[in-house]
């Protein structure tokens, strides 16, 4: 294991924000991960687990404890069964499955971060979520001191949520197993309307998986959602807020406020989200509340390509970012009565 002291954490995040860690350990095997976690727990040292750093907002003061960077590698494909080590670069793994002619995660191309983070957030985009293909997650259970294997049901998946997110200090993901589909090189049925429109197909159609992957990468790049060191619109955590899910009473009140503000014929985006619940669009809320693309005058601003991404324009601090996030949350709530929830994990700070 590599060990550094007073180590900068900002370079390990896609925001490029945050202060140093007291100690930074880089683990390249499951055994090293477990050893580092056990040592921290035995000594009562706070522990921060870092994968690709694409979903982290670290405070300017940094982290007083041990930061554990998981750099394990492992890509094993047997038929349609895939096993990834937690440290595998996610978007590279997606590319390899598409090259193998398999379907199931092709719409998740271009998402930054590591494979181990995908079950935690139940990563999803363009009509796919990892929960639909994950069969098992191997993790170290800090409560019992043992390595455990959780099947899909035990992972407690929901929209951008899981058991791992619900119990953030319990599990450290080591490996993720998927069951993909051999559809003769074709994709899974296309679900997302924007993807179907760009592809020129109907929802439910299949097209070559490679074509879907390339299309998604272009769509994401157009929104600043594919990492590019030279493009400050990608110095972000992708979507900063989750799409709100409202019960029937909340949605009725929300719809009424939309009509009051935007006119009697105005209708907000609405998507079924289970019995008695409706999901609406965080990006739409932000835009209609007056926070348009490029909003802001400081070093932290809304992306010029997508209202859902908050960005570091190159000289921001975490406090600059949080000030912008709080302004957006307050403005949306004041306008529509809906409270946005941040998607990235915050370390040492809160909204």
């Amino acid at each position: 294991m590599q060990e550094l002291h007073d180590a900068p954490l900002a370079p390990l995040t896609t925001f490029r924000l945050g202060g140093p860690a007291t100690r930074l350990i880089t683990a390249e095997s499951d055994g090293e991960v477990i050893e580092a976690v056990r040592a921290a727990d035995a000594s009562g040292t706070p522990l921060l687990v870092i994968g690709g750093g694409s979903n982290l907002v670290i405070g300017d003061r940094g982290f007083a404890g041990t930061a554990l960077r998981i750099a394990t590698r492992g890509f094993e494909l047997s038929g349609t069964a895939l096993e990834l080590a937690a440290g595998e670069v996610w978007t590279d793994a997606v590319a390899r499955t598409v090259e193998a002619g398999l379907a199931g995660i092709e719409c998740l191309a271009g998402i930054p971060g590591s494979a181990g983070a995908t079950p935690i957030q139940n990563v999803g985009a363009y009509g796919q979520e990892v929960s639909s293909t994950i069969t098992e997650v191997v993790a170290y259970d800090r409560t019992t001191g043992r390595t455990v294997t959780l099947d899909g049901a035990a992972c407690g998946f929901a929209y951008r949520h899981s058991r791992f997110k619900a119990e953030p200090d319990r599990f450290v993901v080591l490996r993720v197993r998927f069951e993909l589909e051999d559809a003769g090189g074709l994709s899974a049925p296309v679900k997302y309307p924007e993807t179907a429109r760009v592809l020129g197909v109907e929802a439910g159609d299949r097209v070559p998986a490679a074509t879907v992957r390339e299309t998604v990468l272009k769509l994401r790049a157009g929104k600043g959602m594919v990492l590019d060191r030279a493009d400050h619109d990608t110095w972000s955590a992708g979507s900063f807020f989750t799409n709100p899910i409202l019960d029937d009473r909340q949605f009725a009140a929300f719809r009424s406020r939309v009509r009051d503000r935007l006119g009697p014929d105005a209708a907000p985006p609405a998507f079924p989200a289970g019995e008695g619940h409706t999901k609406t669009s965080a990006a739409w809320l932000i835009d209609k509340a007056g926070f348009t693309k490029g909003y802001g005058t400081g070093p932290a601003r809304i992306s010029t390509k997508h209202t859902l991404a908050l960005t570091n324009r190159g000289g921001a601090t975490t406090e600059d970012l949080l000030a912008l996030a709080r302004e957006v949350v307050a403005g949306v709530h004041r306008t529509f009565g809906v409270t946005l929830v941040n998607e990235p994990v915050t370390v040492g700070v809160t909204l």
Side-chain angles (χ1 to χ4, degrees), residues 3-34:
E3 182 174 330
L4 299 173
H5 294 267
D6 195 27
L9 295 180
L12 302 182
T13 73
T14 52
F15 264 124
R16 296 169 174 82
L17 295 176
T22 305
R23 183 172 67 154
L24 171 64
I25 292 175
T26 298
E28 297 183 347
S29 70
D30 292 353
E32 289 181 352
V33 172
I34 294 170

Side-chain angles (χ1 to χ4, degrees), residues 129-144:
E129 289 183 328
V130 292
S131 58
S132 66
T133 51
I134 287 177
T135 56
E136 293 180 331
V137 175
V138 181
Y140 176 69
D141 186 341
R142 298 168 67 184
T143 300
T144 64

Side-chain angles (χ1 to χ4, degrees), residues 68 90 194 199 204 281 346:
L68 172 61
W90 173 252
E194 183 182 20
L199 288 167
S281 166
T346 56

Side-chain angles (χ1 to χ4, degrees), residues 45-190:
T45 303
L47 180 69
L48 170 64
V49 178
I50 300 177
S54 60
N55 204 44
L56 278 180
V57 177
I58 299 173
D60 292 317
R61 293 185 178 182
F63 183 70
T66 296
L68 172 61
R69 178 172 170 261
I70 298 182
T72 54
R73 291 292 181 266
F75 178 102
E76 297 181 20
L77 189 59
S78 178
T80 55
L82 171 67
E83 179 177 291
L84 297 177
E88 277 290 324
V89 177
W90 173 252
T91 193
D92 292 348
V94 172
R96 292 178 68 177
T97 65
V98 171
E99 289 170 3
L102 299 178
I105 56 176
E106 62 278 3
C107 290
L108 305 180
I111 294 177
S114 63
T118 60
I120 298 172
Q121 194 73 3
N122 187 16
V123 163
Y126 296 99
Q128 288 182 346
E129 289 183 328
V130 292
S131 58
S132 66
T133 51
I134 287 177
T135 56
E136 293 180 331
V137 175
V138 181
Y140 176 69
D141 186 341
R142 298 168 67 184
T143 300
T144 64
R146 296 181 178 180
T147 299
V148 296
T149 299
L150 288 76
D151 64 17
C155 291
F157 289 124
Y159 171 66
R160 300 298 174 272
H161 194 70
S162 70
R163 183 178 180 183
F164 310 106
K165 192 172 182 179
E167 302 179 73
D169 297 323
R170 180 170 182 178
F171 298 102
V172 177
V173 175
L174 301 174
R175 299 190 166 265
V176 189
R177 295 172 180 152
F178 303 81
E179 181 61 35
L180 304 179
E181 180 187 6
D182 185 350
L186 297 180
S187 69
V190 176

Side-chain angles (χ1 to χ4, degrees), residues 263-302:
D265 296 327
F271 310 95
E275 186 175 353
H277 290 82
T278 302
K279 180 166 65 176
T280 192
S281 166
W284 186 92
L285 287 164
I286 293 167
D287 181 71
K288 298 303 181 184
F291 302 100
T292 54
K293 295 175 183 176
Y295 178 88
T297 57
R301 304 180 194 178
I302 291 177

Side-chain angles (χ1 to χ4, degrees), residues 217-226 305-306:
L217 287 173
K218 290 178 182 177
L219 288 171
R220 291 185 63 85
K223 300 173 184 178
M225 298 291 187
V226 176
K305 299 182 179 74
H306 199 295

